[in-house]
């Protein structure tokens, strides 16, 4: 290995020490995390600085601070080490030749998919499932993902999109809120505190337009997570447009109710997406087939016990 090649490929021990110090902003904390002495961490970082010929940290009386060069290096090194750890974990835990790395949407995954996963495991014990959380379009190859559950349009570049289900939304609130704020016509909702999802900024406008009601809804609380919106509704903070199939249990128990009996189809739908290079990959084929069966069962009214 040439001298330049060695400089471009530092030891993983030195990189791990540097990444830990950069993230924790402390040599002692890094030493504790990596089960090494503080001196060993310091020697690894100093050796890395000598190898690269740059200063990665500024040592001050109050601790260590990344230099501008160190901050840029830490960003890249952290991502690279994370990918190496993920690859190592997959290699260590892979007991079968068939492994499916599946990206799921947080709420769809926890509320609809996970209660059904035991059925897939029972049917295909030879397939190992690894789950990752992803929102939006990403690079399958870079993230090491074989398949994803996606909400949106079937326009993922370089991928095959299999339609799963549409999403029907309706205004939802708590029974107490509805009793305190009777709604006899949809226009009444315009005067109520409306809750918004950050990922669906035009949802309320779409709902009102579906009934020919002009004008935009008032600004209100905005939430990043679906679960937070459901809790806010249950707490009586207002009315939210929510996908009905994701709150089956709350509607069944009466914790939440429809504020007005008008449902509208969301502009987005759910798809099973796989890169074109993996459309015939056996775990992808098996999971897609099973998933379509589960969707049909759900449409037929089959209830999953929570």
């Amino acid at each position: 290995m040439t001298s330049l090649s060695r400089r471009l490929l530092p030891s993983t021990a030195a990189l791990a020490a540097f990444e830990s110090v950069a993230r924790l902003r402390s040599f002692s904390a890094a030493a504790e995390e990596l089960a090494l002495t503080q001196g060993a961490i310091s020697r690894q970082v100093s050796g890395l600085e000598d190898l690269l010929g740059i200063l990665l940290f500024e040592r001050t009386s109050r601790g260590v601070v990344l230099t501008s060069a160190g901050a840029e290096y830490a960003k890249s090194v952290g991502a690279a080490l994370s990918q190496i750890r993920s690859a190592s974990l997959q290699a260590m835990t892979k007991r079968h030749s068939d492994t499916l790395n599946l990206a799921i949407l947080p709420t769809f995954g926890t509320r609809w998919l996970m209660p059904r996963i035991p059925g897939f495991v029972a049917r295909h014990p030879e397939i190992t499932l690894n789950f990752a959380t992803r929102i939006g379009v990403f690079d399958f190859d870079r993230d090491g993902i074989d398949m994803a559950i996606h909400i949106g349009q079937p326009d993922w570049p370089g991928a095959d999109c299999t339609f799963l289900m549409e999403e029907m939304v309706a205004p939802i609130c708590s029974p107490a809120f509805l009793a305190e704020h009777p709604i006899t016509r949809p226009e009444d909702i315009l005067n109520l505190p409306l809750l918004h999802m950050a990922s669906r900024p035009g949802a309320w406008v779409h709902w009102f337009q579906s009934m020919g009601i002009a004008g935009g809804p008032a600004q209100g609380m905005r939430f990043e997570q679906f679960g937070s919106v459901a809790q806010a509704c249950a707490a009586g903070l207002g009315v939210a447009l929510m996908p009905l199939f994701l709150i089956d249990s709350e509607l069944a128990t009466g914790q939440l109710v429809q504020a007005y009996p008008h449902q509208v189809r969301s502009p987005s739908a759910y798809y099973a997406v796989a890169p074109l290079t993996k459309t015939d990959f056996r775990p992808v084929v098996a999971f897609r087939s099973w998933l379509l069966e589960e969707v049909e069962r759900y449409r037929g009214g089959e209830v999953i016990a929570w």
Side-chain angles (χ1 to χ4, degrees):
M1 182 180 289
T2 65
S3 175
L4 177 60
S5 297
R6 181 176 178 277
R7 291 181 64 187
L8 294 177
L9 190 62
S11 72
T12 54
L15 293 175
F18 163 69
E19 187 275 336
S20 184
V21 175
R23 177 166 39 82
L24 300 174
R25 298 294 194 271
S26 167
F27 277 82
S28 59
E32 182 177 352
E33 180 179 68
L34 299 178
L36 296 172
T37 65
Q38 187 171 337
I41 295 291
S42 181
R43 286 191 294 273
Q44 291 281 12
V45 172
S46 296
L48 183 60
E49 290 178 321
D50 292 341
L51 183 67
L52 299 174
I54 60 174
L55 188 65
L56 298 172
F57 294 103
E58 292 179 356
R59 281 75 167 175
T60 70
S61 58
R62 307 175 75 177
V64 291
V65 179
L66 282 164
T67 63
S68 58
E72 287 297 319
Y73 194 56
K75 188 184 301 182
S76 298
V77 167
L81 288 178
S82 176
Q83 190 170 359
I84 291 172
R85 292 188 187 103
S86 177
S88 298
L89 179 61
Q90 289 186 29
M92 292 167 62
T93 58
K94 187 174 181 180
R95 295 174 296 170
H96 309 289
S97 59
D98 288 340
T99 297
L100 180 66
N101 296 319
L102 179 67
I104 59 175
L105 300 163
T107 306
F108 181 91
T110 57
R111 285 179 169 256
W112 192 90
L113 183 62
M114 282 303 168
R116 294 169 167 82
I117 285 295
F120 177 81
V121 173
R123 181 183 298 185
H124 295 284
E126 78 285 0
I127 296 178
T128 300
L129 292 174
N130 295 324
F131 296 96
T133 300
R134 295 289 187 278
I135 300 175
V137 176
F138 58 88
D139 188 313
F140 281 99
D141 289 336
R142 184 194 63 206
D143 289 8
I145 300 296
D146 303 312
M147 191 177 190
I149 305 300
H150 172 64
I151 183 170
Q153 303 300 320
D155 55 3
W156 197 307
D160 176 71
C161 300
T162 301
F163 174 78
L164 295 177
M165 66 175 76
E166 293 174 331
E167 182 181 75
M168 301 300 294
V169 299
I172 301 296
C173 64
S174 71
F177 182 90
L178 186 60
E180 188 175 348
H181 305 85
I183 299 171
T184 58
R185 57 195 187 107
E187 289 84 354
D188 294 338
I189 298 179
L190 286 169
N191 300 317
L192 299 177
L194 302 183
L195 310 180
H196 303 261
M197 278 289 293
S199 60
R200 306 177 188 198
W204 274 115
V205 172
H206 179 67
W207 188 82
F208 282 114
Q209 286 180 344
S210 71
M211 290 180 292
I213 299 175
Q219 293 295 319
M221 296 183 184
R222 190 176 70 168
F223 298 84
E224 295 286 341
Q225 296 294 329
F226 174 91
S228 300
V229 180
Q231 291 176 349
C233 283
L237 293 179
V239 184
L241 273 180
M242 305 185 75
L244 297 175
F245 84 104
L246 292 179
I247 54 171
D248 279 341
S249 60
E250 287 89 345
L251 292 173
T253 60
Q255 183 182 9
L256 296 175
V257 296
Q258 288 195 45
Y260 189 80
H262 176 70
Q263 303 175 16
V264 64
R265 182 178 293 107
S266 172
S268 298
Y270 289 87
Y271 296 87
V273 183
L276 295 177
T277 56
K278 293 289 183 73
T279 53
D280 295 327
F281 181 43
R282 201 187 83 81
V284 167
V285 173
F287 193 83
R288 184 195 297 119
S289 175
W290 170 84
L291 191 56
L292 290 172
E293 289 180 18
E294 290 301 312
V295 169
E296 285 304 312
R297 286 195 183 95
Y298 175 75
R299 288 173 177 163
E302 181 175 316
V303 177
I304 299 295
W306 289 75

